[in-house]
Amino acid sequence: LPPLFLLLTALELSWSLSDEEKKIILDGHNKYRSGVSPPAMDMLKMSWDTELEAFAQAYAEKCIWDHNKERGRRGENLFAMAPTLDLEFAVEDWNGEEKYYNLTTSTCVPGQMCGHYTQVVWASTHQIGCGAKFCEKIDGIETEEMYLLVCNYYPPGNMKGRKPYKEGPSCSQCPEGRVCVNSLCEVEVDTGYPVSSLTTEDPALLESSALDTEELETNSDQTNMDQPTAGAPNTFLGPSLFLLPSVILVGLLL
């Protein structure tokens, strides 16, 4: 094979998110979490987890437009876009479902999706890891040559019968060992970014994590706000309009 083809093949096989791209995703989540309205009493600051990243990247490599049935106790948001992948817009799009969600009644406007948003702002979720892949063909989407973004979360959100966060004065119910920074409950000695779940044990979170385990066992189907949907992508005229007449994107609900 020609050397250039071999080089491109190797690059494609080893492609993953850069540190800058990971930071865009992480900062985007924390920005929307800190700015929820009404404010949250118990919103934890998210950190990047390398094990979740590896898990998400492995699934993104499969180019499948459906949730990973082997994700276990992990939340998941999917997003697909062409001709480029705008990570800041992807998180913005998930958070944009806020306009359809009623925190007081824990309901979503009929016919709309809210589960991406509720996962982004699920208060007890404190770790995130994502992977992305350029797919010549995503199984489940007719449009070809799209980027697929997979984000996994721990503990998972969207537990049946629970609201994403407690409404009230910001940080008024932060777990022990966390302090309020920019309306988020942050670990007192913040290990920063990136981190591994093997080195981010937080005793203050053991109680909330145990509760999530119990509810996951009770709701074995990991009940979502809406059922996953797939099909023809929507057309978005936006930031990448100068590249093609339109930018195609789709978001799959957790």
Side-chain angles (χ1 to χ4, degrees):
L1 293 176
L4 179 59
F5 179 80
L6 290 174
L7 175 61
L8 291 175
T9 301
L11 288 174
E12 181 178 352
L13 291 174
S14 62
W15 189 81
S16 61
L17 295 172
S18 67
D19 286 347
E20 181 180 357
E21 290 172 325
K22 297 171 191 176
K23 189 175 187 301
I24 289 173
I25 296 172
L26 178 62
D27 288 351
H29 277 75
N30 281 323
K31 178 181 74 172
Y32 292 123
R33 290 168 72 84
S34 67
V36 291
S37 180
M41 305 170 69
D42 57 343
M43 187 69 71
L44 303 184
K45 182 180 180 180
M46 275 191 180
S47 61
W48 192 267
D49 182 85
T50 54
E51 290 187 1
L52 287 175
E53 174 191 348
F55 186 84
Q57 184 63 46
Y59 189 66
E61 297 287 338
K62 298 181 179 180
C63 295
I64 299 175
W65 188 241
D66 196 5
H67 283 297
N68 187 348
K69 295 178 175 58
E70 299 178 355
R71 68 184 183 275
R73 291 192 65 240
R74 302 174 184 89
E76 186 173 84
N77 275 350
L78 304 184
F79 183 87
M81 185 175 185
T84 59
L85 179 57
D86 186 332
L87 297 171
E88 185 174 357
F89 176 78
V91 182
E92 178 185 344
D93 186 64
W94 289 337
N95 187 74
E97 296 173 358
E98 174 190 12
K99 59 181 174 288
Y100 303 121
Y101 183 72
N102 187 315
L103 181 66
T104 302
T105 60
S106 300
T107 57
C108 188
V109 173
Q112 300 295 335
M113 293 190 293
C114 297
H116 294 105
Y117 163 70
T118 51
Q119 176 60 85
V120 169
V121 300
W122 200 266
S124 62
T125 298
H126 59 94
Q127 292 179 326
I128 181 176
C130 306
K133 171 73 173 179
F134 176 75
C135 303
E136 293 185 0
K137 181 70 174 69
I138 299 178
D139 186 13
I141 297 180
E142 293 183 3
T143 304
E144 298 182 350
E145 298 185 345
M146 299 188 75
Y147 287 90
L148 176 63
L149 173 67
V150 179
C151 284
N152 286 118
Y153 304 84
Y154 182 83
N158 294 351
M159 297 294 100
K160 185 177 181 180
R162 294 181 60 185
K163 295 182 179 182
Y165 64 87
K166 296 179 182 178
E167 176 185 350
S170 296
C171 300
S172 57
Q173 290 189 10
C174 284
E176 183 179 353
R178 288 191 173 238
V179 295
C180 188
V181 179
N182 296 326
S183 300
L184 295 175
C185 300
E186 180 177 328
V187 178
E188 287 192 72
V189 181
D190 194 357
T191 55
Y193 163 88
V195 297
S196 168
S197 61
L198 295 177
T199 60
T200 55
E201 293 297 332
D202 185 354
L205 297 173
L206 293 180
E207 182 177 351
S208 61
S209 296
L211 179 60
D212 286 336
T213 302
E214 180 181 350
E215 295 209 4
L216 272 174
E217 291 173 351
T218 302
N219 305 293
S220 58
D221 60 350
Q222 297 192 19
T223 305
N224 305 319
M225 299 304 301
D226 306 281
Q227 293 301 311
T229 57
N234 299 318
T235 299
F236 167 70
L237 304 179
S240 299
L241 183 61
F242 63 91
L243 294 175
L244 285 179
S246 65
V247 176
I248 304 170
L249 66 88
V250 279
L252 181 61
L253 176 64
L254 172 67

